[in-house]
Every structure is written in structure tokens, then in C-alpha cells.
Amino acid sequence: MTKDSASVPRQIEQADAQGIREKLLAWFDAERRDLPWRADREAYTTWISEVMLQQTRVDQMLPYYERFVGRYPNVESLASADRDDVLKSWEGLGYYARARNLHRAASIVAEQGFPKDRDEWLALPGVGPYISAAVASIMNAEPVAAVDGNVERVVSRLFIIADQKGSPAFRRRVRDTAEQLLHTGRPGDFNEAMMDLGATVCRPRTPACGECPIRSFCRAAARDKQTDFPVRKKTKAVPHHREVVVVMCNESGDLLLRQRPEDGLLGGLWELPGTRVGPLAQERQELEDHLDAALPWASAVSAAAGEIKHAYTHFRVTVAAYVGRPHGHLSAGGFNLPEQYCWANANELEALALPRAHRKLLAEIDLQGT
């Protein structure tokens, strides 16, 4: 393959394209997954489901979806909700920028109405090429291909797209091929059929080729090379960080929390104050130095209170907790905390959105004994 050939669109034989459309849609009509947002098609629930399904498997997101639409049954209720409440409803689902963008977008939709085409969907906060194409094809019957990880896998195996997954050439060829395959009369159904096939049959490591309705068209299956595609980068070692936090209660038993900045990882969530540290032997001193700068009214930390390990998508973390005390009269809770800090009692703690790692850590600690 020459340097330029990877970017040259592969033309699909019309007979093959038509055969794939017919067989895949017949399979979808008989085998489509029974998902709650498909029962009674609405733009709002379709949109919510697609946002939640970014970076999240269906089985993981279903309970979150049910709770979320139960609390916010329409776009008006979501738009009028407090952002912290929305983050709390999202707690545990991860990638919290999705929730923040969804909340901002809901305010726009509540005022202007739902988008009428892909370009209008794409203009909303947090809506990218995939979500805009998926919702526009499903709700507006717009003939645009929706390409997610499942579709990339199906297409790359069907036509042996040998470019490395994630590369510009790979994305171009997959998108061009998906557009050529699209059933323009049933674009939403076809997009969902491709996604269902990738999720339930054309799986990453254990494809069920014997159940595939379009196996006869699959070039990778013909060569028994299904799991070779898509071609992936070599796996890098997963970074492992260590963090230290302070568990500090006032005389009323309220716990000190800090709100994370709006942008970045876990943006807008509340957490135990702390910092990432270096060598284990220095971590207590690093935590004290951090608190001296951020909370000069707090006393030095004392004994270790516990630690947990937690895995995020792209890194792992060990979080160690130390006990801290406010100075003198500050422990009564009357001191005006900096804006991003608060004292939270048990009920407030339950109502606030916290990172899962800090929830896990608090579950291991006896706050009454700190």
C-alpha cells in the first residue's frame, strides 16, 4: 500500500452494498435490542441515551438512564435543574463533562426547541459528529452515517481497513464506507442496526461470526482474521498515580469538601481536599505543604486514616487519607470558608456529587473517630 492509497475511498460494489443493507435490516427488525428509549421515540430520550452511551456500555448505563429520565423527564425539567443536582444524578457514570454540557444544551433547547437537522444538533454544547448524526438520522430521518466504535469495528472487518485505528486515514475510510453503505430510506434504523451488530455479534475479542447476518460479505471472516481488525496501537503501560487527601471535620461533625474547577477531569464535583504526591516517604509533608498554601487556617495533619485503589479509564490511582483539624474556634464552623470549600453534614454529603474514588474512601473511614 502506498502512502496515499490509505486515504483513497474504497468504492463498494452496489450489489454488495444492497445485500448488506437488506440482510442487516432484516436482522435488526427481528433482533433489535429492547431498549427503553426505543419504545416511544422522543428526541429528548434519544439524545439523553446517546450522550450516556459515549464511553459507556449499555448494561452499565441503563440504571443511570432510568434514574436520570425519571428525575428529569423532559428537557424543561433538565434545563431548570440546579447543575449540582444534575452532577449528583450523573455520579458514578463518569466523564462528567457530558453532564455539564447536557445541562447547558438543555437550556438552549428549552428556549429554542429541538434541532431540526444535523447541523443544528452539532451546534449544541457537547454534541459532536457521532451524536449529531445518530439523533438526526433517528429523529429527523436525515441520511447521515453515525460512526461510533462499534461501527468502526464492523466496517474495518467487512472491508479489511488496515490503517491504524484512530489515524486520520482510518477515520476517513471508515466514514466514507459507512456513508456508502447507509440505507437512505431507513437511515436511523440502519445506523442502530450497525451499532447493535457491533455490540452484540461483531464483538471486539469474541465475535459471534456464526450469528452474523452479513458474514458472507465479511473479508476478515473469509480470512479468519476478524480479531486483527481494527488495527490497534501497541498498548502502553497504564499510569498509576498516588494522591493524598485530608479528612477534616468540625465540632458539629461536618466534613470539609472542596469543589473541583469546572473544566478538566471530574469538573464541578466535590472532593476531599488534597493533592497528587511523589515518593511515599514524602507524602505527608507534601500534603501539609499543600494545606498550608490552600488552607492556612487548618492545622497539620495527623494519623493516616486509610487508603483505597481506584481505576479510571486511562489511569489508576491510590488515594491515601490523613486526619486534619481546624484551628481553635474555626472548628465550630463559623469561619467563612473560601468560595470553593464547604462544610457538609451527612445529608448534604449524600446529596453532593463526589468522585467514586472519594466515595469509596469515605466508606472505609470511620468519620466519627476522626
Side-chain angles (χ1 to χ4, degrees):
M1 181 179 293
T2 66
K3 180 179 179 181
D4 293 333
S5 65
S7 62
V8 175
R10 184 194 300 272
Q11 295 300 313
I12 304 171
E13 293 290 338
Q14 283 303 309
D16 287 348
Q18 186 61 25
I20 290 171
R21 295 181 195 120
E22 291 176 356
K23 289 181 178 292
L24 186 58
L25 283 173
W27 171 83
F28 182 67
D29 289 339
E31 303 292 340
R32 75 177 71 198
R33 290 180 289 180
D34 182 16
L35 300 172
W37 52 89
R38 290 179 176 174
D40 185 14
R41 281 295 190 192
E42 295 180 356
Y44 175 70
T45 51
T46 299
W47 173 36
I48 298 295
S49 70
E50 293 296 348
V51 173
M52 286 190 166
L53 284 170
Q54 284 186 303
Q55 308 290 335
T56 309
R57 298 196 313 270
V58 169
D59 60 330
Q60 292 177 318
M61 65 80 78
L62 275 174
Y64 292 95
Y65 170 85
E66 298 283 7
R67 288 196 296 269
F68 196 87
V69 299
R71 180 158 189 178
Y72 311 110
N74 51 50
V75 71
E76 291 79 13
S77 60
L78 179 57
S80 62
D82 182 80
R83 191 205 61 172
D84 284 347
D85 290 340
V86 174
L87 288 173
K88 175 61 181 177
S89 300
W90 202 271
E91 186 181 53
L93 195 56
Y95 295 96
Y96 290 89
R98 295 181 295 177
R100 298 194 302 272
N101 286 327
L102 191 60
H103 187 229
R104 286 197 289 265
S107 298
I108 297 171
V109 173
E111 181 179 344
Q112 300 178 5
F114 281 97
K116 299 178 180 62
D117 58 33
R118 183 187 185 182
D119 288 342
E120 289 187 8
W121 279 108
L122 196 56
L124 292 177
V127 175
Y130 167 73
I131 290 179
S132 60
V135 182
S137 66
I138 294 168
M139 297 308 307
N140 309 116
E142 190 169 346
V144 287
V147 179
D148 68 350
N150 287 314
V151 175
E152 288 182 342
R153 186 165 57 256
V154 171
V155 170
S156 68
R157 288 173 176 175
L158 274 173
F159 298 100
I160 303 190
I161 295 178
D163 305 289
Q164 185 172 274
K165 178 178 171 63
S167 69
F170 177 83
R171 292 194 181 102
R172 283 194 300 270
R173 291 187 63 181
V174 168
R175 176 158 297 282
D176 176 79
T177 304
E179 293 287 357
Q180 290 183 59
L181 286 176
L182 185 68
H183 191 294
T184 56
R186 296 176 60 185
D189 284 349
F190 188 82
N191 281 331
E192 289 194 306
M194 290 284 280
M195 290 182 265
D196 277 14
L197 186 73
T200 64
V201 175
C202 194
R203 300 184 295 258
R205 295 179 179 82
T206 57
C209 296
E211 302 172 18
C212 182
I214 54 175
R215 181 179 182 177
S216 61
F217 299 94
C218 183
R219 300 180 185 183
R223 301 181 188 184
D224 197 26
K225 297 289 186 181
Q226 301 91 312
T227 55
D228 290 352
F229 300 94
V231 178
R232 298 181 177 275
K233 296 179 181 179
K234 291 184 179 180
T235 304
K236 296 181 180 180
V238 178
H240 192 146
H241 307 300
R242 187 172 180 88
E243 298 176 2
V244 287
V245 297
V246 63
V247 178
M248 186 180 297
C249 294
N250 60 25
E251 289 182 352
S252 301
D254 302 332
L255 180 68
L256 182 69
L257 295 176
R258 175 178 62 191
Q259 190 169 34
R260 295 180 65 90
E262 176 80 11
D263 297 327
L265 181 69
L266 307 174
L269 272 65
W270 293 85
E271 65 179 359
L272 298 168
T275 186
R276 186 174 293 179
V277 295
L280 182 62
Q282 302 176 20
E283 69 178 26
R284 180 170 170 175
Q285 183 60 52
E286 289 189 50
L287 178 59
E288 290 183 351
D289 292 344
H290 172 75
L291 293 176
D292 283 345
L295 302 172
W297 47 268
S299 67
V301 296
S302 57
E307 73 175 45
I308 57 94
K309 297 182 185 299
H310 186 73
Y312 292 93
T313 303
H314 301 298
F315 67 95
R316 297 187 179 92
V317 63
T318 297
V319 186
Y322 288 81
V323 177
R325 299 290 180 195
H327 284 311
H329 68 282
L330 302 180
S331 65
F335 179 71
N336 290 326
L337 293 173
E339 183 179 1
Q340 69 271 34
Y341 291 84
C342 76
W343 295 109
N345 60 34
N347 290 333
E348 292 166 336
L349 182 62
E350 184 59 32
L352 293 173
L354 271 66
R356 187 179 296 181
H358 288 205
R359 284 276 184 212
K360 189 188 301 185
L361 183 61
L362 287 172
E364 298 292 324
I365 297 173
D366 177 14
L367 292 179
Q368 300 301 317
T370 59

